[in-house]
PDB file of all heavy atoms in Angstrom:
ATOM      1  N   VAL Q  40     -19.754 -11.637  -7.307  1.00  0.00           N
ATOM      2  CA  VAL Q  40     -18.598 -11.226  -6.506  1.00  0.00           C
ATOM      3  C   VAL Q  40     -17.841 -12.460  -6.026  1.00  0.00           C
ATOM      4  O   VAL Q  40     -18.440 -13.512  -5.767  1.00  0.00           O
ATOM      5  CB  VAL Q  40     -19.026 -10.384  -5.286  1.00  0.00           C
ATOM      6  CG1 VAL Q  40     -19.635  -9.079  -5.729  1.00  0.00           C
ATOM      7  CG2 VAL Q  40     -20.002 -11.160  -4.408  1.00  0.00           C
ATOM      8  N   PRO Q  41     -16.514 -12.352  -5.902  1.00  0.00           N
ATOM      9  CA  PRO Q  41     -15.739 -13.470  -5.339  1.00  0.00           C
ATOM     10  C   PRO Q  41     -15.985 -13.574  -3.839  1.00  0.00           C
ATOM     11  O   PRO Q  41     -16.177 -12.570  -3.162  1.00  0.00           O
ATOM     12  CB  PRO Q  41     -14.294 -13.084  -5.652  1.00  0.00           C
ATOM     13  CG  PRO Q  41     -14.318 -11.599  -5.778  1.00  0.00           C
ATOM     14  CD  PRO Q  41     -15.669 -11.240  -6.326  1.00  0.00           C
ATOM     15  N   LEU Q  42     -15.978 -14.786  -3.323  1.00  0.00           N
ATOM     16  CA  LEU Q  42     -16.173 -14.994  -1.887  1.00  0.00           C
ATOM     17  C   LEU Q  42     -14.856 -15.055  -1.129  1.00  0.00           C
ATOM     18  O   LEU Q  42     -14.844 -15.043   0.099  1.00  0.00           O
ATOM     19  CB  LEU Q  42     -16.960 -16.286  -1.644  1.00  0.00           C
ATOM     20  CG  LEU Q  42     -18.387 -16.308  -2.200  1.00  0.00           C
ATOM     21  CD1 LEU Q  42     -19.067 -17.616  -1.806  1.00  0.00           C
ATOM     22  CD2 LEU Q  42     -19.190 -15.125  -1.693  1.00  0.00           C
ATOM     23  N   TYR Q  43     -13.748 -15.150  -1.874  1.00  0.00           N
ATOM     24  CA  TYR Q  43     -12.415 -15.206  -1.266  1.00  0.00           C
ATOM     25  C   TYR Q  43     -12.266 -16.385  -0.306  1.00  0.00           C
ATOM     26  O   TYR Q  43     -11.555 -16.301   0.694  1.00  0.00           O
ATOM     27  CB  TYR Q  43     -12.106 -13.894  -0.517  1.00  0.00           C
ATOM     28  CG  TYR Q  43     -12.174 -12.665  -1.374  1.00  0.00           C
ATOM     29  CD1 TYR Q  43     -13.193 -11.732  -1.198  1.00  0.00           C
ATOM     30  CD2 TYR Q  43     -11.234 -12.430  -2.364  1.00  0.00           C
ATOM     31  CE1 TYR Q  43     -13.267 -10.596  -1.991  1.00  0.00           C
ATOM     32  CE2 TYR Q  43     -11.293 -11.299  -3.158  1.00  0.00           C
ATOM     33  CZ  TYR Q  43     -12.317 -10.386  -2.971  1.00  0.00           C
ATOM     34  OH  TYR Q  43     -12.377  -9.274  -3.751  1.00  0.00           O
ATOM     35  N   THR Q  44     -12.977 -17.480  -0.576  1.00  0.00           N
ATOM     36  CA  THR Q  44     -12.821 -18.661   0.261  1.00  0.00           C
ATOM     37  C   THR Q  44     -11.517 -19.380  -0.051  1.00  0.00           C
ATOM     38  O   THR Q  44     -11.026 -20.163   0.757  1.00  0.00           O
ATOM     39  CB  THR Q  44     -13.996 -19.628   0.058  1.00  0.00           C
ATOM     40  OG1 THR Q  44     -14.139 -19.903  -1.348  1.00  0.00           O
ATOM     41  CG2 THR Q  44     -15.292 -19.015   0.569  1.00  0.00           C
ATOM     42  N   LYS Q  45     -10.973 -19.120  -1.243  1.00  0.00           N
ATOM     43  CA  LYS Q  45      -9.671 -19.653  -1.617  1.00  0.00           C
ATOM     44  C   LYS Q  45      -8.788 -18.493  -2.052  1.00  0.00           C
ATOM     45  O   LYS Q  45      -9.284 -17.454  -2.500  1.00  0.00           O
ATOM     46  CB  LYS Q  45      -9.812 -20.674  -2.744  1.00  0.00           C
ATOM     47  CG  LYS Q  45     -10.632 -21.890  -2.350  1.00  0.00           C
ATOM     48  CD  LYS Q  45     -10.736 -22.885  -3.492  1.00  0.00           C
ATOM     49  CE  LYS Q  45     -11.579 -24.092  -3.079  1.00  0.00           C
ATOM     50  NZ  LYS Q  45     -11.720 -25.069  -4.181  1.00  0.00           N
ATOM     51  N   LYS Q  46      -7.491 -18.663  -1.953  1.00  0.00           N
ATOM     52  CA  LYS Q  46      -6.560 -17.549  -2.135  1.00  0.00           C
ATOM     53  C   LYS Q  46      -6.664 -16.901  -3.504  1.00  0.00           C
ATOM     54  O   LYS Q  46      -6.519 -15.693  -3.646  1.00  0.00           O
ATOM     55  CB  LYS Q  46      -5.133 -18.034  -1.894  1.00  0.00           C
ATOM     56  CG  LYS Q  46      -4.139 -16.912  -1.651  1.00  0.00           C
ATOM     57  CD  LYS Q  46      -2.840 -17.442  -1.117  1.00  0.00           C
ATOM     58  CE  LYS Q  46      -1.923 -16.296  -0.719  1.00  0.00           C
ATOM     59  NZ  LYS Q  46      -0.648 -16.789  -0.165  1.00  0.00           N
ATOM     60  N   ASN Q  47      -6.923 -17.694  -4.535  1.00  0.00           N
ATOM     61  CA  ASN Q  47      -6.946 -17.153  -5.889  1.00  0.00           C
ATOM     62  C   ASN Q  47      -8.354 -17.098  -6.478  1.00  0.00           C
ATOM     63  O   ASN Q  47      -8.548 -17.220  -7.675  1.00  0.00           O
ATOM     64  CB  ASN Q  47      -6.031 -17.972  -6.798  1.00  0.00           C
ATOM     65  CG  ASN Q  47      -6.418 -19.460  -6.822  1.00  0.00           C
ATOM     66  OD1 ASN Q  47      -7.236 -19.888  -6.010  1.00  0.00           O
ATOM     67  ND2 ASN Q  47      -5.820 -20.215  -7.729  1.00  0.00           N
ATOM     68  N   ASP Q  48      -9.360 -16.894  -5.625  1.00  0.00           N
ATOM     69  CA  ASP Q  48     -10.750 -16.850  -6.091  1.00  0.00           C
ATOM     70  C   ASP Q  48     -10.976 -15.811  -7.183  1.00  0.00           C
ATOM     71  O   ASP Q  48     -11.798 -16.004  -8.082  1.00  0.00           O
ATOM     72  CB  ASP Q  48     -11.701 -16.556  -4.926  1.00  0.00           C
ATOM     73  CG  ASP Q  48     -12.270 -17.838  -4.321  1.00  0.00           C
ATOM     74  OD1 ASP Q  48     -11.928 -18.924  -4.833  1.00  0.00           O
ATOM     75  OD2 ASP Q  48     -13.020 -17.745  -3.346  1.00  0.00           O
ATOM     76  N   VAL Q  49     -10.275 -14.674  -7.095  1.00  0.00           N
ATOM     77  CA  VAL Q  49     -10.498 -13.594  -8.049  1.00  0.00           C
ATOM     78  C   VAL Q  49     -10.185 -14.051  -9.470  1.00  0.00           C
ATOM     79  O   VAL Q  49     -10.788 -13.573 -10.437  1.00  0.00           O
ATOM     80  CB  VAL Q  49      -9.637 -12.367  -7.671  1.00  0.00           C
ATOM     81  CG1 VAL Q  49      -9.785 -11.268  -8.704  1.00  0.00           C
ATOM     82  CG2 VAL Q  49     -10.039 -11.841  -6.298  1.00  0.00           C
ATOM     83  N   GLU Q  50      -9.285 -14.999  -9.609  1.00  0.00           N
ATOM     84  CA  GLU Q  50      -8.874 -15.467 -10.929  1.00  0.00           C
ATOM     85  C   GLU Q  50      -9.833 -16.492 -11.533  1.00  0.00           C
ATOM     86  O   GLU Q  50      -9.692 -16.882 -12.687  1.00  0.00           O
ATOM     87  CB  GLU Q  50      -7.474 -16.092 -10.832  1.00  0.00           C
ATOM     88  CG  GLU Q  50      -6.411 -15.122 -10.336  1.00  0.00           C
ATOM     89  CD  GLU Q  50      -5.083 -15.821 -10.114  1.00  0.00           C
ATOM     90  OE1 GLU Q  50      -4.902 -16.940 -10.645  1.00  0.00           O
ATOM     91  OE2 GLU Q  50      -4.232 -15.251  -9.395  1.00  0.00           O
ATOM     92  N   PHE Q  51     -10.838 -16.919 -10.742  1.00  0.00           N
ATOM     93  CA  PHE Q  51     -11.764 -17.944 -11.210  1.00  0.00           C
ATOM     94  C   PHE Q  51     -13.208 -17.466 -11.056  1.00  0.00           C
ATOM     95  O   PHE Q  51     -13.873 -17.764 -10.049  1.00  0.00           O
ATOM     96  CB  PHE Q  51     -11.555 -19.245 -10.434  1.00  0.00           C
ATOM     97  CG  PHE Q  51     -10.211 -19.867 -10.640  1.00  0.00           C
ATOM     98  CD1 PHE Q  51      -9.153 -19.547  -9.806  1.00  0.00           C
ATOM     99  CD2 PHE Q  51      -9.999 -20.753 -11.693  1.00  0.00           C
ATOM    100  CE1 PHE Q  51      -7.902 -20.114 -10.004  1.00  0.00           C
ATOM    101  CE2 PHE Q  51      -8.752 -21.323 -11.903  1.00  0.00           C
ATOM    102  CZ  PHE Q  51      -7.700 -21.000 -11.057  1.00  0.00           C
TER     103      PHE Q  51
END
Side-chain angles (χ1 to χ4, degrees):
V40 295
L42 297 184
Y43 302 111
T44 53
K45 297 181 181 179
K46 197 167 187 179
N47 57 349
D48 265 359
V49 176
E50 300 174 17
F51 296 91

